[in-house]
Amino acid sequence: MLECVPLLDPSCRHKVKCCFSFQMLSTPVRVRFAPSPTGYLHIGGLRTALYCYLFARRTGGRFILRIEDTDQSRLVEDAEEDIVASLKWAGFSVDESPEQGGPHAPYRQSQRGALYRAHASTLIDRGHAYYAFDSPESIRLLREHGQAYDAAHRMQMQNSLVLPRHNVEARLANGDAYTVRLHVPEDTTICFEDCIKGTVKIPSNSLNDQVLVKSDGMPTYHLANVVDDHLMGISHVIRGDEWLPSTPKHVLLYRALGWQIPVMAHLPLILSPSGGKLSKRSAQRLGIPVDVRDYRTAGYEPEALLNFLALLGWNPGTDKEVFSLAELEETFSLQRVGTSPGLFDLEKLKWLNGQHLSRMQPSEVLQRARPALEAAGIAPDEAYATEVIRLVKNRMHRASDLAELFSYFFADPITYDAAGIRKRWKPDSPSLVLRYADRLARLAPFDETSLEAELRTLAKTAGVGGGRLIHPVRLAVSGTTAGPGLFAMLATLGRDSVIRRLQAAAQALA
RNA sequence: GCCGCGUUCGUCUAGGGGUCUAGGACGCCGGCCUUUCACGCCGGUAACACGGGUUCAAAUCCCGUACGCGGUACCA
């Protein structure tokens, strides 16, 4: 058995159990987020980025963005742009990236081809990789027979392991298409320490001879990621659990190249509420946005989304649930990342979004609500809008509520809630509401206290309970039965607006 | 199929041999506050997948089973 790779550091959940030499990590912390621009940034990708970012910030390390665009056929033109924009929206500061550069530029794998080819030939020279000339057709056939390109079958194939040397050279000189494959050792066990999962052991015979360099000359993820992580001095590889099964291949590459293996940390996956993978289709059916940009348009605040994502797989070990990004940066640790996958719970996100909103300054909430207000054609006065927000902040779940649920603060209601009318609008309502309007014309000061006193007096005079007036007035003024305290609302709306609305309702609902 | 990882209330989770008659949060259900609706507060509902061990003692350790998820590409 290949001995276990001992490198682990104290920041990990699992301490070394089976390894003989414990090596404290003394190199500086450098963490990369390495998405592939084959689509817009996914919610799961954002969580990986978040954990990478938090770990880097918490440890005083560097957070690096690397674009893994080695699959030319699946490239999406504006994906990289979206990834960068999404990280920016999230509020992450990136230390090195394709845009800003850095000491290990370039940060786009498509621009690092020479590096991969050089290391591929080193691997070949050392006998850890080989040339393969098999046609796609023969590989398809192999798989159809339920076989893999592995130790048990590679000698039946067309590669430099079986072909005479002169034949291989001739093919290469001739420009024949070829791939470079990893020569996986037979009958051994590959073992490594995962920071979150602990010791992982895999029989080498269950691995195939992974393609390292594709016939188009591009490296596969496996080669590129190992070469780049080493060359870029990455200390901790923090990525999704879907990579755990291929990590043994990476371990083999590190050893073959004589490199130290970074600390490996595989994060549990995010699952759809229905149980399966949070795929685009399954998520959309459940009303869950998948791409980060969709959260933005759905009106979720980045702080809330990040808070939610942080808690999905990590916990602070205290009862605190609401965190700002800065607080997460202070609190996060890899030790407290869990091992089991979590289901996405949209309800909790909504709650968190409301929590963050209600903790913001009114002026900040206004900034967040701006796009929705604009979309609704509302161009409010700053001071007035801030006043409104002060009033309704606690009952907002999204910033866009201001333009929707509370649009009546910015325009007279044009419809009245039907159920509300049935329940609250009585035959005497029009006259009562009109009488109140009359009294309001002379009311001074036009504030919460006197507004209430005036209403109570009128109710008494008319020989009815306060509710007989309160509810119709609310309905008349806002068109709905829900909202902030009536008198504060009237005071904010202002005399002219209130009187106008009362009169309009009395007429419309006569 | 094979390989790997996982399994505590519906969901996110705490817990790591005795303090667990299992704690917190979301949701849900009551109540208080409020002649509205929220917020807030108080209370309630609800979980250690199953079977074997080990131990004086197991949610916690070990083995098996089941289930879930991931991987098994010239995709990442």
Side-chain angles (χ1 to χ4, degrees):
Chain A
M1 165 167 134
L2 292 175
E3 74 282 14
C4 195
V5 177
L7 185 63
L8 254 201
D9 79 350
S11 61
C12 291
R13 178 189 178 94
H14 287 272
K15 300 303 173 209
V16 178
K17 288 179 224 141
C18 74
C19 304
F20 49 84
S21 72
F22 183 93
Q23 183 179 354
M24 275 281 275
L25 199 75
S26 54
T27 46
V29 170
R30 292 175 55 81
V31 191
R32 87 296 197 279
F33 174 56
S36 149
T38 51
Y40 298 145
L41 186 61
H42 184 274
I43 185 71
L46 181 63
R47 190 185 63 146
T48 301
L50 173 65
Y51 285 32
C52 288
Y53 174 77
L54 293 177
F55 182 73
R57 288 291 166 266
R58 181 63 213 275
T59 54
R62 306 265 285 176
F63 177 62
I64 296 142
L65 174 65
R66 185 174 73 217
I67 298 294
E68 311 229 320
D69 56 347
T70 53
D71 186 349
Q72 299 295 304
S73 65
R74 291 204 307 153
L75 274 188
V76 170
E77 204 194 333
D78 54 343
E80 183 181 327
E81 200 182 324
D82 178 80
I83 290 164
V84 171
S86 296
L87 295 180
K88 191 174 176 196
W89 175 75
F92 300 159
S93 51
V94 182
D95 299 311
E96 298 167 30
S97 73
E99 285 185 302
Q100 344 164 205
H104 301 284
Y107 290 87
R108 242 183 307 258
Q109 291 186 327
S110 59
Q111 298 164 342
R112 299 169 63 84
L115 255 20
Y116 310 124
R117 281 189 292 276
H119 288 95
S121 64
T122 302
L123 287 166
I124 293 169
D125 291 347
R126 295 184 187 171
H128 293 118
Y130 58 88
Y131 294 105
F133 302 97
D134 310 275
S135 65
E137 177 59 17
S138 63
I139 288 167
R140 193 182 59 80
L141 235 49
L142 185 72
R143 253 205 302 277
E144 260 174 25
H145 290 252
Q147 300 169 329
Y149 207 123
D150 57 12
H153 304 280
R154 62 181 160 230
M155 300 313 280
Q156 305 161 15
M157 307 302 285
Q158 297 285 299
N159 55 49
S160 58
L161 260 23
V162 296
L163 262 18
R165 190 188 179 111
H166 67 267
N167 184 315
V168 172
E169 281 165 3
R171 285 176 186 245
L172 292 175
N174 190 40
D176 285 9
Y178 69 89
T179 61
V180 175
R181 284 183 180 266
L182 176 65
H183 191 165
V184 175
E186 260 175 282
D187 300 326
T188 179
T189 300
I190 300 158
C191 172
F192 63 95
E193 286 295 325
D194 184 85
C195 186
I196 291 165
K197 298 297 163 66
T199 309
V200 178
K201 292 178 187 163
I202 292 179
S204 68
N205 290 354
S206 72
L207 264 28
N208 66 358
D209 284 358
Q210 184 66 53
V211 167
L212 301 176
V213 179
K214 299 181 269 191
S215 55
D216 66 358
M218 279 287 193
T220 56
Y221 170 85
H222 306 282
L223 207 220
N225 127 280
V226 166
V227 168
D228 284 345
D229 284 343
H230 178 261
L231 262 27
M232 292 182 175
I234 299 303
S235 62
H236 294 70
V237 171
I238 302 172
R239 69 208 333 180
D241 229 356
E242 71 269 26
W243 293 111
L244 194 63
S246 53
T247 303
K249 294 172 186 173
H250 307 161
V251 170
L252 251 19
L253 286 171
Y254 280 105
R255 302 174 93 89
L257 260 2
W259 293 341
Q260 189 181 59
I261 301 177
V263 175
M264 294 289 174
H266 288 92
L267 306 174
L269 261 21
I270 298 178
L271 268 26
S272 156
S274 54
K277 193 175 176 177
L278 188 63
S279 68
K280 196 144 198 152
R281 266 182 55 194
S282 74
Q284 275 169 350
R285 201 171 18 144
L286 295 156
I288 298 172
V290 178
D291 295 332
V292 174
R293 53 163 56 192
D294 296 333
Y295 284 85
R296 197 172 7 179
T297 52
Y300 291 102
E301 301 308 322
E303 294 89 338
L305 184 58
L306 260 22
N307 191 165
F308 171 73
L309 256 14
L311 257 20
L312 192 54
W314 169 87
N315 79 83
T318 65
D319 282 350
K320 189 172 163 69
E321 299 256 9
V322 182
F323 288 88
S324 66
L325 217 210
E327 289 171 324
L328 287 173
E329 288 175 30
E330 287 165 18
T331 322
F332 182 82
S333 73
L334 241 25
Q335 289 103 310
R336 299 204 64 90
V337 173
T339 54
S340 51
L343 307 194
F344 194 100
D345 180 10
L346 198 61
E347 290 307 315
K348 188 142 187 178
L349 204 213
K350 287 178 182 169
W351 173 74
L352 239 16
N353 204 62
Q355 290 294 316
H356 280 270
L357 239 25
S358 71
R359 280 161 213 235
M360 281 178 200
Q361 293 299 318
S363 58
E364 180 62 31
V365 175
L366 178 56
Q367 291 312 314
R368 310 293 180 115
R370 218 132 225 165
L373 289 171
E374 263 167 45
I378 300 169
D381 171 74
E382 186 104 5
Y384 174 70
T386 308
E387 194 54 40
V388 170
I389 289 168
R390 224 181 291 284
L391 220 50
V392 303
K393 201 158 66 98
N394 282 348
R395 53 203 92 207
M396 290 174 66
H397 286 100
R398 308 184 200 198
S400 57
D401 286 347
L402 192 61
E404 292 157 15
L405 255 38
F406 302 110
S407 62
Y408 58 80
F409 276 104
F410 307 102
D412 292 4
I414 41 176
T415 60
Y416 303 91
D417 179 67
I421 293 168
R422 273 198 302 279
K423 191 170 178 195
R424 306 294 194 186
W425 197 261
K426 307 294 180 193
D428 61 1
S429 294
S431 67
L432 245 23
V433 150
L434 247 19
R435 283 171 73 182
Y436 189 44
D438 281 345
R439 287 166 172 250
L440 258 28
R442 296 182 301 279
L443 186 70
F446 194 83
D447 65 11
E448 201 174 328
T449 316
S450 47
L451 241 8
E452 176 160 12
E454 193 64 33
L455 183 138
R456 304 261 177 222
T457 308
L458 172 59
K460 207 167 185 180
T461 311
V464 298
R468 199 62 176 241
L469 217 32
I470 289 175
H471 297 300
V473 168
R474 172 185 297 284
L475 198 52
V477 159
S478 70
T480 86
T481 56
L486 179 66
F487 305 106
M489 183 172 114
L490 297 181
T492 300
L493 244 14
R495 190 194 310 270
D496 293 350
S497 173
V498 169
I499 293 174
R500 183 177 67 240
R501 292 177 184 202
L502 291 175
Q503 288 170 341
Q507 190 164 27
L509 303 172

